Amino acid sequence: AQTVTQSQPEMSVQEAETVTLSCTYDTSESDYYLFWYKQPPSRQMILVIRQEAYKQQNATENRFSVNFQKAAKSFSLKISDSQLGDAAMYFCAYRRSDMRFGAGTRLTVKP
Amino acid sequence: DGGITQSPKYLFRKEGQNVTLSCEQNLNHDAMYWYRQDPGQGLRLIYYSQIVNDFQKGDIAEGYSVSREKKESFPLTVTSAQKNPTAFYLCASSDRGRRNNEQFFGPGTRLTVL
């Protein structure tokens, strides 16, 4: 079974600074999809960014970007110019058939 | 607006009682999912359904049951056989045809067993 590992239970960043959240996954497949979801205190899950494994180019969405290293099975999320509203739980997810989630990283943004 | 609704937001149950969590979507999605979220853990899949009248067990299906009689609805019943049902429950849906599609989530139901 595919597993997703987020090794950082908690992270902290100063407002306007940059932070990187780590994610690794285990799979024998070559065609799959990766996602980062954000869960703010409201607990509503919100898609942040997605990456298709067959694409070498790293996905970018405004201040959010990923560093996708397929051979290393690594999928980190970089948040630039951090804002107070970025404070949330962040979940990495892998999808081939069903979706597998990591345990999450709680991000705190300090003013 | 299109989206997923879950009700109720908070639910309290006495031990030994069955309880049903509602999930409705108007996104015209074929696939629907139920997840359980516990503190310090990610989302764990309980059941999923790819089409009407068909559903499959996820990783932690024991003590739960579902039905999929309509495309829009995927209710989850937490039975008395579930040993530790206190948790946050999330319903999601997606377009079955494309694997790169995200799953859209409802606002969740917090279930507490008294």
Side-chain angles (χ1 to χ4, degrees):
Chain A
Q2 293 81 18
T3 57
V4 180
T5 302
Q6 293 179 250
S7 59
Q8 306 153 318
E10 296 184 355
M11 290 285 285
S12 179
V13 64
Q14 203 72 32
E15 193 176 8
E17 297 294 313
T18 296
V19 64
T20 298
L21 308 184
S22 301
C23 173
T24 59
Y25 56 94
D26 179 30
T27 185
S28 58
E29 304 293 341
S30 60
D31 182 23
Y32 50 87
Y33 301 88
L34 298 164
F35 304 83
W36 277 98
Y37 279 87
K38 170 184 177 181
Q39 188 181 43
S42 68
R43 307 200 77 169
Q44 177 70 55
M45 294 283 284
I46 303 164
L47 178 69
V48 175
I49 199 166
R50 84 185 84 200
Q51 174 80 42
E52 292 146 331
Y54 66 86
K55 289 186 177 180
Q56 292 186 338
Q57 186 174 5
N58 289 326
T60 299
E61 289 286 344
N62 300 315
R63 298 182 295 108
F64 298 87
S65 61
V66 299
N67 183 5
F68 173 48
Q69 301 291 327
K70 191 172 184 179
K73 299 179 184 176
S74 171
F75 183 59
S76 61
L77 175 69
K78 185 172 80 171
I79 306 174
S80 304
D81 186 24
S82 297
Q83 300 176 0
L84 295 177
D86 295 333
M89 284 288 290
Y90 285 83
F91 292 98
C92 177
Y94 164 102
R95 183 175 189 184
R96 176 167 166 78
S97 53
D98 58 357
M99 190 88 87
R100 297 284 170 171
F101 290 85
T105 296
R106 181 175 301 281
L107 178 66
T108 302
V109 181
K110 297 180 179 178
Chain B
D1 287 356
I4 302 177
T5 57
Q6 291 185 242
S7 61
K9 187 173 182 178
Y10 299 97
L11 189 56
F12 298 90
R13 189 195 89 174
K14 293 182 180 179
E15 284 193 20
Q17 287 183 336
N18 292 354
V19 64
T20 298
L21 283 60
S22 169
C23 178
E24 304 276 336
Q25 55 97 2
N26 60 5
L27 299 169
N28 200 33
H29 285 165
D30 290 304
M32 296 187 73
Y33 311 82
W34 273 107
Y35 293 94
R36 170 179 172 142
Q37 185 177 20
D38 294 284
Q41 298 190 40
L43 281 64
R44 292 184 291 168
L45 183 64
I46 304 173
Y47 268 97
Y48 65 101
S49 169
Q50 301 279 30
I51 56 173
V52 175
N53 293 322
D54 186 50
F55 48 83
Q56 286 78 40
K57 294 181 179 180
D59 297 326
I60 55 166
E62 185 176 353
Y64 299 97
S65 65
V66 294
S67 63
R68 187 84 188 277
E69 298 177 359
K70 299 187 299 182
K71 187 176 184 177
E72 301 79 17
S73 178
F74 191 41
L76 173 74
T77 297
V78 184
T79 74
S80 57
Q82 169 53 233
K83 300 303 181 187
N84 184 22
T86 294
F88 187 66
Y89 291 86
L90 283 162
C91 178
S93 71
S94 69
D95 183 350
R96 183 169 68 101
R98 295 169 54 194
R99 283 184 286 121
N100 67 334
N101 277 0
E102 66 185 277
Q103 290 186 0
F104 292 81
F105 286 84
T109 292
R110 173 70 184 179
L111 173 64
T112 302
V113 174
L114 302 174

